[in-house]
Amino acid sequence: MTTPAPFLGGETRVVNIGLSLFAETLAALGVSVVSVDWRPPAGGDRRLAELLARAGDEAGAKPVTIADANRECLRRIQAGTATLVGLRPAREVVPGLGERTVLHAGPPVTWERMCGPMRGAIIGACLFEGWAKTPDDAVTLAESGALTFDPCHHHRAVGPMAGIVTPSMAVWVVENDACDTAAYATLNEGVGKVLRFGAYDRPVLDRFAWINRELAPILDGALRRAGGLDAKTLIARALTMGDECHNRTTAATSLLARELAPHVAAARAGDVEKALAFLARTDHFFLNIAMAACKAVLDGAHGIRGATVVTAMARNGVEFGIRASGTGDRWFTAPAPNVTGLYFPGYGPGDASPDLGDSAITEAAGLGGFAMAAAPAVVQFVGGTAELALDTTRRMYEITLGEHETFRIPALDFRGAPLGIDIRRVVETGIAPAIDTGLAHREAGVGQVGAGIAEAPIACFVQALEAFVAGLPA
Amino acid sequence: MRLTRDMEAVPGVRRAAAMMGTPANRALLEDAGLLAAEGEAAGPTDLVIAVLADTREAAEVARAAAESAFSARRAAAMPGVAGRPLTLASALKALPGATLALISVPGAYAGAEALKALHAGLHVMLFSDNVPVATELELKTLARQRGLFVMGPDCGTAIVNGVPLGFANAVARGRIGIAAASGTGLQEVACHLAAAGEGISQAIGVGGRDLSDEVGGLMMERALAALAADPETAAVCVIGKPPGAATLAKLEGWIAKLGKPCVTQLMAPTGRERWHAAATLEDAALAAVALARGVKPAPVEFTAPPGAVARLVEDAVLPMRANQRYVRGVYSGGTLAYEALGILKTRLADVAPGVTGGGSGHRVVDLGEDVFTVGRPHPMLDGTVRREWIERESADPETAVLLLDVVLGYGAHPDPAGEILPAIRAATLAAESAGRHLAVVASVTGTEGDPQRRSAQVAALSAGGVIVMPSNAQAARLAALIAEPRA
């Protein structure tokens, strides 16, 4: 508990909450003053205001203060490293991945409730693994209960869109040495008709097999030859080049290709030309690495008692779920929101599945919608202006505890990206975390139909706050 | 409140209000006859703009005025985007090392904001009223545990480390400390200290209920301890309404421990005080000055010589009709209204017991009370309600004296005298044409350093035929003399 400033003596520095007239007077007299643009907390909901007041004690909670817990949480996120060390088959590295386990994006969901794209991706995965010969066989298998479904997040993994991980798939291995954690993600297949959006026809599966069985070993060899790659620094550079590292990873992918190309060439293993050509045309190739990097860092900051920082946001196409550092492994869920976005020609809002994928882990780490000011090109997806990109990031500072020391945004005078979503601030302000996202067709097998911006449901944060307050010592 | 002012300035508009649609505000609007179906459906984050006008056209003009003023403000500050933080938490990021939260949000929300501020290690000035006493106790108890200070609730003014908070006057820093459970009382004392050439070391408000036995002086004890320890403070002035019996006993102990000369003005001196107990705010200020200078305090009846006062009374009484018998006080400051009422009671019979404006004899109304500020600004900010009451009281053929306060300072209206003078002129003219003479007596609480400049306000009032007395107490005494029954 910090000692408060003495009441008398010293400089009085004022936070004005209410009549702006008082702040204007003070400012005119040269007094240090900041005026809050006040409105009733939590949209005027008295019960939530009460919860906020109870979770508002920065200085007095025991055994550690909320402020101390959040500081430690932020410290670990800032200090977290993300070294891309190589690629391995998931069965070799992903903890707790049984032979018939299927990992999926978002909070837990049963086959019966899964959305179309997730079912499609699982059908594709069954065909890829050789567990089924036909899509119908795959459906029968999934319905039979012979497969174990579990969220990626329960296995230190993250997956974009459907986020399906099965044992034979290759995964990126990203290590956070500062917190002694690692995280895993599959390889990106490009946009359009791809497995992660629920497509599973022959060309999709052929490409998927090539990526996992031929491209992965080439890149693994190159990475090992390079002695690993610092993904955190690469992300920081990409932010200065127009990426927000969620919906736009064009710069990051280029930087990755540039780093790896000499080693790919030197190793002379496999079809080098095909490998490099794939990197050259796959703008989103780095996305999965960014996600694993964010997961590795945020897992290192998870499980701190008394911390109100969000450590995961994920969607399974039915529900949106969040986890907070101080509330353990519980998910707080609400119906997945619809996405405001731009559709590929021939598609419209009626075609899209609700929000899907683990990629909102990037927002929890200060990227994506939170770093939109770095990537004005992304707002084209919602027909927005560059000013909207700046304002989106500016608003996120209202719900975050700190600013990223490494991820900086040129257009905001190199201000650090808003970092550490505080569940209390989301409930208090009603400002929902902004999430850049892709749009999957709601039926299995079609694929991506657009991209846009989604808002995390406030209800998740309300539940998290309730659980947090319930867990506070009396 | 500015929106209200803009709208009520439109000709043909009777009443207007712009308030957030909280349940409490909706009730206020309903009481004021300003709630239509649309407003009833509003939520706490909606802004309700209500206009009562003679014609549809006038209402539309008012609505347009409000909307343009509102959108101009919005454009300047998009919420959460253009620099103004939305919460205390983000304000603290913008102002590292903040020491105090000045809270003036509606009472229903003020307690929660104050709690957040205390939790963040800030001292609190709670300007808001309508905060439940249970909340006040919780806040003050927590503050004491954490070594923090809560000024208020309903704390209109304070001067901490030279920083004027809320409605405060421009006074020099000096050696006299004030601890007050009263807003305009603190202002009146501070202004008299300034006029006497002394300055304020600290002026701490504790909230109107602090000296009640329910709250038990939780902050008065801390205020006096802080002033005792403050090396800048040479003498202390304690101001408030009469304390609860148990709290008065404790107060005696705290004053005894001060180790500095002390003056109290607690409205009802018992005569048993072991310190200097002043009868009026003016006397309290003058006594504090005397004690700081090491001389014996002497109370003041009138600053002017007796002959001059007698002439003022005579000039006022002569042209009056026989049935003009009563003093009618129309106040903007609560403590000033109480002080005036107390003085009238000691000198006149048939004085109304409270400051509600009720009763058929001598009466005083405090227009700062909640019942009069429904959906409209405080009378220190806007003279509309006062003008209505001046008109109403002076129309009564039995009114002899109109007794007024004019409070200056930061936050107050830029020209309070100019706000009420047209109504005063109209009232005196109306009386003349009815064959009566209306005496208008006022005092100005303010300093030369105030944005409105005291001497300019006094000159404007005098030019308008108002008898301006040097203090509220003297104004009330003169009013009593004028209305005194004569043989």
Side-chain angles (χ1 to χ4, degrees), chain A residues 5 9 19 57 398 400 428, chain B residues 85 90 93 104 116 123 146 161:
Chain A
L19 300 171
D57 195 349
E398 285 293 336
T400 48
E428 184 174 5
Chain B
S90 66
K93 287 195 277 183
S104 55
K116 277 187 263 178
H123 303 289
R146 302 264 172 109
N161 301 324

Side-chain angles (χ1 to χ4, degrees), chain B residues 166-186:
Chain B
F167 296 130
N169 299 92
V171 293
R173 290 202 77 174
R175 54 181 171 168
I176 295 176
I178 302 177
S182 134
T184 42
L186 191 159

